[in-house]
Amino acid sequence: MAAFALGWSDADGRPHPGDGGKGVRPAIALLSAEAVGGTAESALPAAVAVELVHAFSLAHDDIIDHDERRRHREALWKAYGVGPALLTGDALLALAVQQLAVAPEAMKYLSAALVELVHGQSADMAFENRPWRGPSEVTIGEYIEMAAGKTGGLLGAAAAAGVALGGGAPELADRMWAVGRDLGVAFQIADDMLGIWGDPRVTGKPVHSDLRRDKKTLPVLAALAADSPAARELSAVLSAGVTDEESVRHAARLVEEAGGRTAARAMADRYVSAALQALDECLPDAADLRVLCASLVNRTR
Amino acid sequence: MAAFALGWSDADGRPHPGDGGKGVRPAIALLSAEAVGGTAESALPAAVAVELVHAFSLAHDDIIDHDERRRHREALWKAYGVGPALLTGDALLALAVQQLAVAPEAMKYLSAALVELVHGQSADMAFENRPWRGPSEVTIGEYIEMAAGKTGGLLGAAAAAGVALGGGAPELADRMWAVGRDLGVAFQIADDMLGIWGDPRVTGKPVHSDLRRDKKTLPVLAALAADSPAARELSAVLSAGVTDEESVRHAARLVEEAGGRTAARAMADRYVSAALQALDECLPDAADLRVLCASLVNRTR
């Protein structure tokens, strides 16, 4: 089941030359170690750990969100059942923790990322039950905190643990943790955009599922904040509940018309720029790492 | 939800002066630290961590096993839903890891226990789908390995991490890890016995649910191994599937008649004796810890 979750085999255990994910997090860990003069090998336990935590979080998130598809295949729980998928997630997490158990200088970031991840995921879940408008609407500030936790923590852990295992100074690792959190916000916004305007044949995820389940994604929050006629219509459409294909498409068009797509794009760019500026200050010669970080908002999957 | 899982509040968040569990694992951690001349306070992070891991495992196990009751109340997933309960389990685990993140001498045992826990839980789950008799029947050896992992790992981590944080030698911590694993086998057998002959008003768990779901518990495995007329009848009854109350009661009587209860009791005593002998060799003056360990097989809940 873990091999299936990692994209190495199909549901019957046969080798599957498929989509094992982008490998962004382990790449950040290895490149961060090299950027401080260490070897990529020195950061291998961190690279393995962050990829295992990522696989753990996908396994559990798909159960929580009832998502049936992942990377062009059935979700783990859909292929094996909720109990086995839950336990497989736990196994992936246990193995991740084991990787860094006796490397406290890296483990402290992994452990912080785990706490952030759960906080962020929990906020994301709670947001679904809050109204689109009114005194208890989800603010963009709350969204950013959620995204920094849910997505940024693990990117931060990848960078900081990579620096720590590569022999970098603790202060440098702390700063790279902050870089990762900013990157995470940008990464999450890019993910939100793919969920509305991405090509499901490329992303491997069902399109518009975020809209259907009242997920408070940044493009929609930004559109609603515009307070234009399109924004007001969007508010009415969303509050009525979008369930059929037509109303979902209509809502997506309104998000774009109200400026949600442009605003989301601008905000993602802003967070990446901030991250890259901090990266340049911390690690001026980390060209490969810089290219990787910059690419996170220009992706199609 | 975490407060509910830990027995501190009811499902509405009101303080609940209820049953927060026995606290065996944190007690072992604190007493182990004192036994090597450390303070109880020094082992507090380990005590907290093992209790959080225990709460995590109960939250997830109840989802996996579809158990609706826990400690005289609804199970966490029954009270809040599967997704929130799953995430609460993850949160408890993340907080546990955080406790020992920068204490590698203790973390190495917690991390090993996590891996063992998942291995054991996974074996326990796989056993349910194996036949009661025949070439692929579950052996007592396999059961012991499962119990040592599922239940023993965390007891071992409690003892070993307690010793490590209390300032004990690494070799002593390793030996206490082994003591914990033996204790775990005894503890699991005692648990199996309570599942068949315990008073549900005291245990807070539904009686006979193990039998209904073909769980390969030690009393049943030992009874079947007897190869007496009662054992053969038990085999036939179990293979036909026990679902109604009458056939479950009948099976429980046959387990006792075939000697399963006596054999289970003897095996639990044997594992406790081995653990206590090793404990006496490691820590000859640990009177309180010895009393606690000895009590683990003589419990009613």
Side-chain angles (χ1 to χ4, degrees):
Chain A
M1 291 186 280
F4 179 87
L6 292 163
W8 300 345
S9 68
D10 67 17
D12 299 316
R14 284 183 299 249
H16 173 83
D19 184 353
K22 295 175 286 290
V24 166
R25 294 159 192 81
I28 290 178
L30 302 179
L31 291 173
S32 295
E34 291 186 328
V36 294
T39 61
E41 284 73 18
S42 65
L44 212 46
V48 172
V50 292
E51 189 65 3
L52 287 170
V53 169
H54 181 52
F56 141 80
S57 78
L58 298 183
H60 282 192
D61 285 2
D62 285 346
I63 297 173
I64 293 169
D65 292 341
H66 305 284
D67 278 330
E68 301 189 352
R69 307 283 302 166
R70 166 75 61 188
R71 294 175 183 163
H72 308 280
R73 301 191 300 168
E74 284 184 304
L76 187 68
W77 69 271
K78 196 70 187 159
Y80 296 98
V82 168
L86 191 169
L87 191 59
T88 302
D90 291 345
L92 293 164
L93 180 53
L95 292 172
V97 169
Q98 201 178 35
Q99 292 295 319
L100 299 177
V102 292
E105 72 283 14
M107 180 53 120
K108 72 181 231 204
Y109 297 108
L110 189 76
S111 130
L114 286 174
V115 173
E116 296 267 320
L117 188 66
V118 176
H119 261 296
Q121 173 68 9
S122 159
D124 196 27
M125 207 164 80
F127 289 173
E128 291 181 27
N129 299 317
R130 283 168 57 184
W132 284 104
R133 300 308 300 255
S136 56
E137 69 188 25
V138 175
T139 66
I140 288 181
E142 286 178 300
Y143 170 91
I144 287 167
E145 200 185 316
M146 177 280 289
K150 183 177 127 170
T151 312
L154 197 53
L155 292 172
V163 166
L165 294 185
E171 303 75 39
L172 203 53
D174 280 346
R175 289 178 72 186
M176 287 301 288
W177 164 261
V179 168
R181 285 172 60 85
D182 276 351
L183 274 182
V185 174
F187 195 80
Q188 185 57 51
I189 294 173
D191 214 56
D192 288 354
M193 294 178 72
L194 286 174
I196 304 178
W197 299 289
D199 182 345
R201 286 167 303 177
V202 181
T203 63
K205 292 174 215 168
V207 78
H208 294 156
S209 66
D210 289 350
L211 278 170
R212 285 173 197 276
R213 74 162 68 106
D214 287 339
K215 262 214 189 280
K216 302 302 182 290
T217 59
L218 198 274
V220 182
L221 294 179
L224 290 172
D227 208 29
S228 61
R232 279 188 292 277
E233 191 182 345
L234 176 64
S235 171
V237 167
L238 291 172
S239 300
V242 290
T243 45
D244 60 298
E245 194 46 43
E246 203 188 302
S247 65
V248 171
R249 281 174 201 275
H250 182 48
R253 273 194 308 272
L254 288 169
V255 172
E256 189 152 8
E257 214 178 304
R261 187 174 189 166
T262 311
R265 179 72 214 202
M267 188 173 283
D269 285 342
R270 212 152 60 234
Y271 272 89
V272 167
S273 297
L276 291 179
Q277 198 183 323
L279 175 63
D280 289 340
E281 287 166 22
C282 292
L283 301 170
D285 302 318
D288 291 345
L289 183 58
R290 195 179 202 287
V291 169
L292 174 64
C293 293
S295 74
L296 293 183
V297 284
N298 297 311
R299 56 199 178 91
T300 56
R301 66 184 185 111
Chain B
M1 291 185 281
F4 179 87
L6 293 163
W8 299 346
S9 69
D10 66 17
D12 299 317
R14 286 184 297 249
H16 173 83
D19 183 352
K22 296 175 286 289
V24 166
R25 292 160 194 80
I28 289 177
L30 302 179
L31 292 173
S32 294
E34 291 187 327
V36 294
T39 60
E41 284 73 16
S42 64
L44 212 46
V48 172
V50 292
E51 190 65 2
L52 288 170
V53 169
H54 182 53
F56 141 79
S57 78
L58 298 183
H60 282 191
D61 285 1
D62 285 345
I63 296 173
I64 293 169
D65 293 342
H66 305 285
D67 278 329
E68 301 190 351
R69 307 283 302 167
R70 165 74 62 187
R71 293 175 183 164
H72 308 280
R73 302 190 300 169
E74 283 185 303
L76 186 67
W77 69 270
K78 196 72 187 160
Y80 297 97
V82 167
L86 190 168
L87 192 58
T88 303
D90 291 345
L92 293 164
L93 180 53
L95 293 172
V97 169
Q98 201 177 36
Q99 291 295 320
L100 298 178
V102 292
E105 72 283 14
M107 180 53 119
K108 71 181 232 199
Y109 296 107
L110 189 76
S111 131
L114 285 175
V115 173
E116 296 266 321
L117 188 65
V118 176
H119 260 295
Q121 174 66 10
S122 160
D124 196 26
M125 209 164 80
F127 289 174
E128 290 182 27
N129 298 317
R130 284 169 56 186
W132 284 104
R133 299 309 299 256
S136 56
E137 69 189 24
V138 176
T139 66
I140 288 180
E142 286 178 299
Y143 170 92
I144 288 168
E145 202 185 314
M146 176 279 290
K150 183 177 127 171
T151 312
L154 197 53
L155 292 172
V163 165
L165 294 184
E171 304 74 38
L172 203 52
D174 280 347
R175 290 179 70 186
M176 288 302 287
W177 164 261
V179 167
R181 285 173 59 86
D182 276 351
L183 272 181
V185 174
F187 196 79
Q188 186 55 53
I189 295 173
D191 215 55
D192 289 353
M193 295 178 71
L194 286 173
I196 305 178
W197 298 288
D199 181 346
R201 286 167 303 178
V202 181
T203 62
K205 292 173 218 169
V207 78
H208 293 158
S209 64
D210 289 350
L211 277 170
R212 284 174 198 275
R213 76 163 66 106
D214 289 339
K215 259 211 190 283
K216 303 301 181 292
T217 59
L218 199 273
V220 182
L221 294 179
L224 289 172
D227 208 31
S228 61
R232 279 187 292 276
E233 192 182 345
L234 176 64
S235 171
V237 167
L238 291 173
S239 300
V242 290
T243 44
D244 60 299
E245 194 48 43
E246 202 189 301
S247 66
V248 172
R249 281 176 202 275
H250 182 47
R253 273 195 307 274
L254 287 170
V255 172
E256 189 153 6
E257 213 178 304
R261 187 173 191 166
T262 312
R265 179 72 215 202
M267 188 172 285
D269 286 341
R270 211 150 63 232
Y271 272 88
V272 167
S273 297
L276 291 179
Q277 198 185 323
L279 175 63
D280 289 340
E281 287 166 22
C282 293
L283 302 169
D285 302 319
D288 291 345
L289 183 58
R290 195 181 203 285
V291 169
L292 174 64
C293 293
S295 74
L296 293 183
V297 285
N298 297 310
R299 58 202 177 88
T300 55
R301 66 184 185 112

